[in-house]
Amino acid sequence: MIHWARIGQLSSLLSCPPEIIILVLHHLVTDDRILGRRYDDLIRASTSFSYLRQLALSTPTLWTHIEITDKPASFELAKACLQRSGSHEVEVAIRIARRTGAKLPGVIALLRHVAGRTRELRLDLGLAKETEWSDLRNAMASLDAPVLKCMELNLWNIENPREALTRSIELPTRATMLQSLTLVKL
């Protein structure tokens, strides 16, 4: 059933300048969402009307939040966001609790790919094997992250989540802008 009042509201919105509509679209990409669900409202809105979709796709700043979870679809969305964000600085949040070992090479490749334009990095990973820890430690040490301002690391032993990992971690190289470092369970 078509709600004519909503169509009227939509046409009023679409008569606004694109800059105003883009501000509204930015409000749809909220921080208060569960990790991996940030873009739900934006995607829903942009699929409802082609003009909104065109504006959303042509606004790189809408796509600067890269989120990866255990869900396979999150990797595809992350790729799309990376492409759509252009050369803008990005915020990267990765939370993987299952089968981390199989996903870790892809995570490390992503981190290396975007390190130069990452301003915030949150890693929340369950690690099971010493090789996983070693691979992550070496990757973190080799990251060239000149614009990184905030980093949060929550790394735990997948076989005993309450047990803190007693390992060292290297900070990314050239993280001269780093202002905040949060270590959880390390």
Side-chain angles (χ1 to χ4, degrees), residues 14-142:
L14 297 175
S15 65
C16 293
E19 297 82 8
I20 301 298
I21 298 171
I22 289 170
L23 285 173
V24 171
L25 293 176
H26 270 282
H27 284 285
L28 295 178
V29 184
T30 62
D31 286 335
D32 61 350
R33 291 289 194 144
I34 295 170
L35 187 64
R37 307 301 305 247
R38 175 184 299 270
Y39 288 104
D40 288 359
D41 291 338
L42 177 63
I43 290 170
R44 205 172 297 117
S46 66
T47 58
S48 65
F49 201 73
S50 62
Y51 180 64
L52 290 179
R53 180 170 173 74
Q54 177 188 353
L55 275 178
L57 292 176
S58 64
T59 307
T61 55
L62 286 171
W63 306 99
T64 58
H65 303 279
I66 312 305
E67 298 181 343
I68 294 179
T69 65
D70 282 313
K71 296 180 181 182
S74 71
F75 283 88
E76 293 305 314
L77 181 58
K79 286 184 204 174
C81 289
L82 281 172
Q83 182 180 31
R84 293 173 186 165
S85 65
S87 60
H88 289 270
E89 291 180 3
V90 294
E91 297 174 13
V92 178
I94 300 172
R95 183 181 199 305
I96 299 177
R98 294 179 299 212
R99 296 186 297 277
T100 307
K103 300 170 187 167
L104 195 56
V107 167
I108 290 172
L110 169 81
L111 292 174
R112 286 184 175 138
H113 180 70
V114 299
R117 60 186 184 119
T118 300
R119 75 172 165 266
E120 289 186 27
L121 174 61
R122 287 189 337 224
L123 287 180
D124 193 351
L125 301 173
L127 302 169
K129 299 176 183 171
E130 183 62 36
T131 55
E132 294 171 6
W133 179 257
S134 177
D135 290 348
L136 181 63
R137 184 178 52 240
N138 292 338
M140 292 297 291
S142 69

Side-chain angles (χ1 to χ4, degrees), residues 146-158:
V147 297
L148 184 65
K149 293 179 182 164
C150 177
M151 184 167 70
E152 179 180 313
L153 299 175
N154 183 12
L155 308 172
W156 73 92
N157 182 337
I158 226 168

